Amino acid sequence: AQSVTQLGSHVSVSEGALVLLRCNYSSSVPPYLFWYVQYPNQGLQLLLKYTTGATLVKGINGFEAEFKKSETSFHLTKPSAHMSDAAEYFCAVSGSSYNQGGKLIFGQGTELSVKP
Amino acid sequence: SAVISQKPSRDICQRGTSLTIQCQVDSQVTMMFWYRQQPGQSLTLIATANQGSEATYESGFVIDKFPISRPNLTFSTLTVSNMSPEDSSIYLCSVEPDRGYNEQFFGPGTRLTVL
C-alpha cells in the first residue's frame, strides 16, 4: 500500500524567502514521486517528478525536490518565493511497476501563501 | 504532454438528478482517470477508464453511482447519478500519455454543486 503525508496544510512565506514544502511517503515498491500545483479554479499542473536516476530533480518555475530514500521524503523547495507561487501544492506517489497502472495517491495538499 | 478539456466547467444541480461530465483529449491515450476533489480536500481516484474494457473502480466508488464510458482513445464521460449535496465536488479527468512513467496530465475540472 502507498500513502503520502504533507506536513503543514498552510505555509506562509515572505516574497524572496525560501519555500520548503514537506512530503513523506510510504510505499512497498520503489516509488515514482510527483509534485503538482493547483492555482485557484484551475486543474493540476505537474511541477516535477522523480522516477529513477538523479535524486535531485528540477522542475518548472524554479522549483526542485530531492528524493531521500532513507528518510522516505520528497520535499519541494524554491530558493526565492514569488507572489505568483501562491497556490495549492500536492505531493503524489505511484508505484514504479508497469502493473501499477498509473494510480496516483495524493497527499492532503499544502496551501502556500506569499506575503509582499 | 496532452491538452485536456472538460465540459461543463461548472454546474448547479438539484438533488436526485444526474450529470454527465465529458473529457476530451487532443491525442490518443490508453489510460484515463477520473478523480474527485471534495471542498478543501485532496484528490481521490474514482476509477480508471481504459478504452475497450470496463472501468476499474476504487474502493468506495461503484458503477451504479458513477457510470463511466470510454468509447474511443480521446474521449470519456463520467456520470454522477442520483446526486445528493455530498456529491458537491470538483471532478477531474486525467490521462497518462506514456505508459510506464505514471505521469498524468489533468483537465481543468468540473465544479459541481448539488442543492
Side-chain angles (χ1 to χ4, degrees), chain A residues 43, chain B residues 3-10 21-25 33-35 76 78 90-94 105-111:
Chain B
V3 178
I4 305 161
S5 60
Q6 287 184 233
K7 290 182 181 179
S9 59
R10 58 179 62 225
I21 302 168
Q22 299 178 7
C23 178
Q24 180 76 51
V25 191
F33 306 87
W34 286 98
Y35 289 85
S76 178
L78 169 76
I90 300 172
Y91 292 85
L92 301 104
C93 71
S94 73
F105 296 89
F106 285 81
T110 296
R111 186 178 297 269

Side-chain angles (χ1 to χ4, degrees), chain B residues 64-75:
Chain B
D64 290 346
K65 176 67 176 177
F66 297 101
I68 289 171
S69 78
R70 183 78 201 275
N72 57 53
L73 291 173
T74 63
F75 187 78

